[in-house]
Amino acid sequence: MENWKKDARREVVMIDIDALVPQDHLLRKVERVMDYEWLYERLSPYYNHEVGRHGTDPVVLIKMVLIQHLYGIPSLRQTYQRIQDSMAYRWFLGYGLLDNIPHFATVSYAFCKRFPPELATEIFEHILNKALNLRMVDPSVVFIDGTHIKASANKKKFQKEQVKKAAKVYEEQLREEVNAEREKLGKKPIEEDDDDSGQYP
C-alpha cells in the first residue's frame, strides 16, 4: 500500500509570520513606502489618548481599506473575512496569526463618523500621490470607477486631477457600502454632514 502524505494541518511549527510572506509581495512594496509619521500626525486630533480605553490603531483601519482597493474586494465585510485567513494581509496590518482583526464596522465608523469626509479623501490622495511619485503606479492609464482614461504623458496637472477624482471615488464607495449595511439594520444613511452619534453602521 502507498504511503500517503500525512495530515499536517494540526502540526505545531515555530515560525514568525514575516517568514511566510514572499519578499516580492506587493504588500511588502507598499509597506516600504507607507508614510506613518504623516498619517499619525493627521489622525491625532481625532483621538483622545488620555480618556477611555485604547482604540484600534487608526493606521490599521486605513490599511484595511487599502487592502480592499488594492485587491478589488467588493466590500469591507469581505475584506475583514479575507484578512482572517491571509498571512500576507495579517502581516501588512502588523497582526499575528492569533490576533483578532478589527471588525469591519469599526472601519466604517472611523471613516464615516470619526474622520471628516475631506480627511478620508486627503488620506487616499496622499497614498496615491506617494505611489505615483515612487513609480509604483503607471500614470499613463487611469481607471476610475470602471472608466478607462488615457493620460497625457508627464502632465502633473492631469495626474493631480485624476488622483483627486480617484480618492473621491474611494471615499464615496466606502460611504455607499456603509449606508447599505445601515439600511439592512434599519438605520438611516450617513450623509457627509450627518451628526448622528450612533456607534456603528
Side-chain angles (χ1 to χ4, degrees), residues 39-54:
L39 285 169
Y40 283 121
E41 191 177 305
R42 288 298 290 115
L43 295 165
S44 184
Y46 305 99
Y47 287 85
N48 188 332
H49 302 287
E50 296 173 7
V51 179
R53 64 183 178 85
H54 290 293

Side-chain angles (χ1 to χ4, degrees), residues 4-133:
W4 301 108
K5 185 181 179 302
K6 68 171 185 173
D7 185 349
R9 285 176 286 190
R10 293 185 179 273
E11 190 176 288
V12 178
V13 179
M14 290 289 288
I15 191 168
D16 62 82
I17 197 168
D18 185 71
L20 299 172
V21 180
Q23 290 301 312
D24 62 347
H25 198 286
L26 173 62
L27 292 178
R28 281 194 184 274
K29 295 173 184 176
V30 173
E31 182 72 1
R32 283 195 287 270
V33 301
M34 285 289 282
D35 190 350
Y36 294 115
E37 192 176 322
W38 182 87
L39 285 169
Y40 283 121
E41 191 177 305
R42 288 298 290 115
L43 295 165
S44 184
Y46 305 99
Y47 287 85
N48 188 332
H49 302 287
E50 296 173 7
V51 179
R53 64 183 178 85
H54 290 293
T56 304
D57 185 335
V59 169
V60 168
L61 306 181
I62 290 163
K63 283 181 169 186
M64 287 178 73
V65 176
L66 196 54
I67 286 170
Q68 180 185 2
H69 288 288
L70 281 172
Y71 291 95
I73 304 171
S75 69
L76 275 173
R77 183 189 294 269
Q78 287 182 43
T79 304
Y80 166 74
Q81 290 167 347
R82 291 195 197 176
I83 291 170
Q84 301 281 353
D85 55 15
S86 167
M87 287 177 290
Y89 293 174
R90 282 178 171 272
W91 174 90
F92 185 58
L93 298 182
Y95 281 59
L97 291 173
L98 302 179
D99 292 330
N100 290 323
I101 303 302
H103 196 269
F104 65 88
T106 306
V107 184
S108 302
Y109 177 77
F111 275 90
C112 292
K113 300 302 293 179
R114 185 182 293 276
F115 308 153
E118 64 273 9
L119 179 61
T121 304
E122 184 184 345
I123 288 168
F124 288 132
E125 275 186 44
H126 181 81
I127 292 169
L128 285 169
N129 271 319
K130 198 156 182 65
L132 283 163
N133 292 336

